[in-house]
Amino acid sequence: MALVNSFEPNTKARQTVHGRTRCLYAIVEGLDGNRYLQLDTVGSEDRAIPDKVSQSIQFDRQAAGELLHLLQRTFPDLAGGIGTTATSESVSTDNEDEAVEGRTRLKIHRTKERNSRLVRRKKRNTLATIGRLLCEVCDFDFATIYGSLGDGFAECHHRLPLAELDGTSPTRLADLAIVCANCHRMLHRPPFHTVEQLRAVVQTARLAKTRA
């Protein structure tokens, strides 16, 4: 078995297409807490033991990103389905005015558990205190703009990023902020801001607009 952590171009002239075989895959959790993609090729049907694993390769996160980029370069028509990579190069599809969407894909991932009851309590507490669910960043109020459709609607932002919680420390109502969907996305976009920092950004932009 080999663990791949980088890719380099093959400069040898000999390039051939090999016979077909099956490839098994697994997502492996390492003792270091990192995840690895494992690919196992099995023997072809004419082998004595067809399902015997002939070679195993594992990819760490860095190598997986490079592999994703290589797949995009090799099969550019699949770029829309594969997604984007963190590498400096990218496959341009600006000249395409249509793409196939709606494929069913299975995704397995871990998420930090959220407490929906705490969110509801935060909203009820805010409504009882000020009577409105104003975004703490930009003062947007869904009920004012959308009427009854927006009544009681807002999003809650964890002031302490959920990824940093260890599952043992309690979250208080004061640790949650009422925000609109736009500001919530901006709070989670690098470079990350606190609610107060992003509010200052919004207010500065508004002030500059009034002076223009």
Side-chain angles (χ1 to χ4, degrees), residues 89-161:
E89 299 178 20
S90 62
V91 177
S92 174
T93 57
D94 292 343
N95 60 335
E96 298 178 1
D97 55 9
E98 64 179 29
V100 176
E101 295 183 308
R103 295 190 184 98
T104 300
R105 302 175 64 189
L106 174 63
K107 292 187 177 181
I108 302 176
H109 59 276
R110 291 182 175 181
T111 60
K112 291 279 188 174
E113 185 180 19
R114 290 171 168 80
N115 191 314
S116 57
R117 287 182 296 179
L118 191 65
V119 170
R120 290 195 296 268
R121 200 175 307 139
K122 173 69 176 183
K123 292 180 181 180
R124 287 198 302 266
N125 184 71
T126 302
L127 284 171
T129 303
I130 65 174
R132 303 166 67 188
L133 292 179
L134 292 177
C135 175
E136 296 181 34
V137 174
C138 71
D139 297 323
F140 184 86
D141 180 13
F142 283 93
T144 299
I145 302 300
Y146 299 105
S148 59
L149 181 63
D151 255 347
F153 184 83
E155 296 189 3
C156 274
H157 170 70
H158 286 75
R159 291 178 176 272
L160 180 63

Side-chain angles (χ1 to χ4, degrees), residues 112-113 160 162-172 175:
K112 291 279 188 174
E113 185 180 19
L160 180 63
L162 203 61
E164 297 181 14
L165 301 182
D166 58 10
T168 60
S169 302
T171 299
R172 304 166 302 166
D175 298 325

Side-chain angles (χ1 to χ4, degrees), residues 2 14 31 49 149 156 184 204:
R14 179 179 174 273
L31 295 177
I49 308 177
L149 181 63
C156 274
H184 203 180
T204 299

Side-chain angles (χ1 to χ4, degrees), residues 137 195-205:
V137 174
V195 171
E196 292 72 25
Q197 289 170 338
L198 190 60
R199 182 174 180 83
V201 170
V202 171
Q203 290 178 335
T204 299

Side-chain angles (χ1 to χ4, degrees), residues 65-66 68-70 72-73 83-92:
E66 295 182 30
L68 186 59
H69 175 59
L70 290 173
Q72 289 179 319
R73 289 181 55 190
T84 58
T85 69
T87 56
S88 58
E89 299 178 20
S90 62
V91 177
S92 174

